[in-house]
Amino acid sequence: MHALLLCCLLLLAARPVEGADAATAARRAVAQAEATVQAQPQSAAAQRDLAIALGHLTDHAGNREKMELSRKIHAAARRATELDPRDPLPWEILGRWEYGFATLNPVLRMAARLVYGKLPSTSLAEAARLLERSIALDGQRISPRYHLALVYDAMGRKADAAAQRKALLALPAKDAEDRANQQAARK
């Protein structure tokens, strides 16, 4: 089951689909990921893949549903780090989650209050720590460096942000997301 989910996620990343097809594909990936977690609850990879699939689904969700999905993303990524602390992806997911909540716009902040009751305690410092951990585990990935640069910018650490951008521009892009992150970093 895990291999099928991985194929779904790779297809979503490699060949983005538009509109209703994309939403259907994302929901299918989430359903497959949830089935895999149900079958293999002690699998770090299954938990990580569920967090990723849920993240793709947020692209097709309204504000309230995004907040509900964010709770599930955080839980799956946190569980993945408990099961395999050497996998860099869940640490990146958690870092991006921290950054997202620490910098919520007012509309999403209101939606988050409806879902969470009160907002989770988040900080840019914690986002930086989590992304730094992801990079320490695998320094050859572009995405955590790009997001760490965003965090450093938000913290006013311009020199550190520039160093992350320089490092990520020196890495080979592996997919469309890497190319987009490099292009954004150049600007």
Side-chain angles (χ1 to χ4, degrees):
M1 282 168 62
H2 179 64
L4 178 60
L5 172 62
L6 187 56
C7 288
C8 289
L9 292 173
L10 289 174
L11 282 172
L12 280 171
R15 189 174 43 100
V17 288
E18 300 294 323
D21 289 341
T24 299
R27 290 190 193 289
R28 201 172 297 139
V30 168
Q32 182 63 49
E34 289 173 337
T36 302
V37 166
Q38 192 83 16
Q40 304 169 23
Q42 297 303 311
S43 168
Q47 296 287 342
R48 177 200 62 220
D49 292 348
L50 175 58
I52 292 168
L54 290 165
H56 283 291
L57 185 56
T58 64
D59 293 339
H60 311 285
N63 288 341
R64 183 167 175 84
E65 186 181 7
K66 280 182 191 206
M67 290 301 114
E68 291 168 359
L69 292 170
S70 74
R71 182 184 296 225
K72 294 178 182 179
I73 291 166
H74 187 267
R78 180 63 62 200
R79 181 73 178 129
T81 63
E82 293 166 1
L83 293 168
D84 182 5
R86 297 174 317 272
D87 184 349
L89 286 172
W91 295 107
E92 178 189 351
I93 292 166
L94 290 171
R96 291 171 69 171
W97 184 92
E98 281 281 331
Y99 172 73
F101 267 91
T103 60
L104 272 181
N105 72 47
V107 172
L108 287 177
R109 190 169 293 283
M110 188 175 3
R113 281 193 191 102
L114 291 173
V115 172
Y116 285 94
K118 69 174 195 160
L119 290 178
S121 177
T122 59
S123 71
L124 292 172
E126 179 65 3
R129 186 189 72 76
L130 293 162
L131 290 163
E132 288 163 354
R133 176 126 187 219
S134 178
I135 292 166
L137 291 166
D138 183 356
Q140 298 303 304
R141 295 181 52 251
I142 289 171
S143 181
R145 289 186 180 280
Y146 174 74
H147 289 94
L148 183 57
L150 294 176
V151 171
Y152 284 159
D153 276 334
M155 295 172 81
R157 295 172 56 181
K158 302 303 180 192
D160 292 329
Q164 289 302 318
R165 286 188 184 90
K166 182 177 179 182
L168 75 87
L169 289 171
L171 296 172
K174 296 177 184 163
D175 57 28
E177 182 184 8
D178 281 354
R179 288 186 291 280
N181 287 341
Q182 285 181 325
Q183 183 178 13
R186 281 186 193 95
K187 291 180 182 176

